[in-house]
Amino acid sequence: MNPILVEVTRGGHVESQHAGALAVVDADGAVLAQLGDIARPIFPRSAVKVLQALPLVASGAADQLGLNDAELALACASHNGEPLHVQTAAGMLAKAGLDLTALECGAHWPSYDKATRALAAAGEEPNALHNNCSGKHAGFACVACALHGGPGLRGFFCGYVQPGHAVMREVTAALQAATGMDLSIAPRGTDGCAIPTYAIPLRQLAFAFARVATGRGLSADHARAATRLRQAVAREPFMVGGSGRFDTRVMQRLGERAFVKVGAEGVYCAALPERGLGVAIKMDDGNNARAVEVVMASLIEALLPLADDDAVFMRSLSEPVLRNWTGSEVGGLRPGSALRSLRPV
């Protein structure tokens, strides 16, 4: 049974508890810290978007199409669907010679409430560009350009979300190479944006992110791609999440010191280049909104030396205050005893 990683308090009493597991691994595969079951395969969902974006750079597509930092960051994003996110995804597709009708990720209302209200007030409906994964899928369109030169790109790209499509084979190969897993025998599901998602243990996910942090164990092309993608996200952190989002706020603050990425159902992964470490977290109850962020913030506090102002900022995320609708403080979140006592090797 996994330990309690986060407690929610109200009126000085524990109101809720969130159990989960975590792994901190170096680029040699050594486990420096762990809590709970890190061998059980879990679906990482959007937490591995940077791994899925490796072919975008490694294939030469990014250079061929002149993608900028904002576009590369959006390829790694689970964005809010704010206007700049939508415009950037559309721009990536235009560079590939395609438009939003080529996307097979589906449409949903923007994740950011203000963007949703603005869209509704204008009498408009959301389209595939508002999907939080549209940047990743626009990146897949760019990969298709590198794989299929000449006319007929739309026909070649059609069905790209299927496991056997040439684009998805490149994406899966990159994920397999980074994690060291044989994904042909891993449990496979379908992600919210329609592409395959593979169940991978936390230990292997953290290992992959240690490789992203260092380049060690990756091919030369994938190592170069990992560095470029990390740098792009650090330069354009708004693109990877958006207003108010944990990923964006942390990387605006820490820059290249921490690459952090959320995934659905309580998953978070991180690459910490200066320590050469990867981190992977899974909350048992799938709590994305609050609990898993407390765990990630607590691990960053434990693993990175922080200046005083950075430490204050991270503490506001590892022990956030809860307020009611009048603005009064009513409780908070805090690391559980197992997480508080964790001492990485």
Side-chain angles (χ1 to χ4, degrees), residues 42-53 72-80 85 111 131-137 175 191 193 202 205-206 208-209 212 229-230 233-234 236-242 245-252 255 257-273 277-283 287-288 292-293 295-297 299-300:
I42 61 104
F43 289 114
R45 308 290 295 278
S46 289
V48 293
K49 282 182 177 176
V50 68
L51 305 181
Q52 295 167 329
L72 290 175
L74 195 73
C76 303
S78 297
H79 63 73
N80 276 343
H85 299 129
S111 306
N131 188 306
N132 75 94
C133 296
S134 66
K136 176 178 72 175
H137 284 250
L175 182 60
D191 214 332
C193 66
L202 289 176
L205 288 171
F209 275 78
V212 167
L229 291 168
R230 284 193 294 99
V233 169
E236 297 284 352
F238 177 82
M239 303 309 298
V240 83
R245 294 283 294 278
F246 181 95
D247 291 350
T248 291
R249 295 178 65 199
V250 168
M251 291 187 285
Q252 283 175 335
R257 301 189 70 197
F259 175 94
V260 295
K261 184 66 188 69
V262 69
E265 295 299 325
V267 180
Y268 240 110
C269 291
L272 305 177
L277 299 178
V279 175
I281 305 163
K282 167 67 176 176
M283 305 305 295
N287 188 290
N288 251 46
V292 74
E293 294 177 358
V295 181
M296 181 57 78
L299 287 174
I300 290 173

Side-chain angles (χ1 to χ4, degrees), residues 74 79 84-94 103 129 134-135 138 239:
L74 195 73
H79 63 73
L84 187 57
H85 299 129
V86 172
Q87 294 160 14
T88 303
M92 294 171 69
L93 288 169
L103 297 183
L129 295 174
S134 66
M239 303 309 298

Side-chain angles (χ1 to χ4, degrees), residues 26-169:
D26 69 18
D28 294 321
V31 177
L32 276 68
Q34 71 177 88
L35 289 173
D37 185 356
I38 65 171
R40 179 176 69 90
I42 61 104
F43 289 114
R45 308 290 295 278
S46 289
V48 293
K49 282 182 177 176
V50 68
L51 305 181
Q52 295 167 329
L54 292 174
L56 178 59
V57 177
S59 68
D63 289 334
Q64 175 187 334
L65 299 175
L67 299 187
N68 58 34
D69 286 337
E71 292 164 333
L72 290 175
L74 195 73
C76 303
S78 297
H79 63 73
N80 276 343
E82 296 175 71
L84 187 57
H85 299 129
V86 172
Q87 294 160 14
T88 303
M92 294 171 69
L93 288 169
K95 288 182 178 181
L98 297 170
D99 59 27
L100 70 90
T101 62
L103 297 183
E104 299 177 5
C105 55
H108 63 70
W109 288 96
S111 306
Y112 188 53
D113 187 53
K114 288 183 179 179
T116 291
R117 291 202 302 268
L119 199 62
E124 298 179 19
E125 294 286 330
N127 59 48
L129 295 174
H130 296 97
N131 188 306
N132 75 94
C133 296
S134 66
K136 176 178 72 175
H137 284 250
F140 293 158
C142 296
V143 172
C145 288
L147 296 178
H148 181 84
L153 176 63
R154 180 177 286 271
F156 171 77
F157 192 51
C158 183
Y160 68 91
V161 297
Q162 297 303 316
H165 192 281
V167 170
M168 206 49 53
R169 290 200 304 269

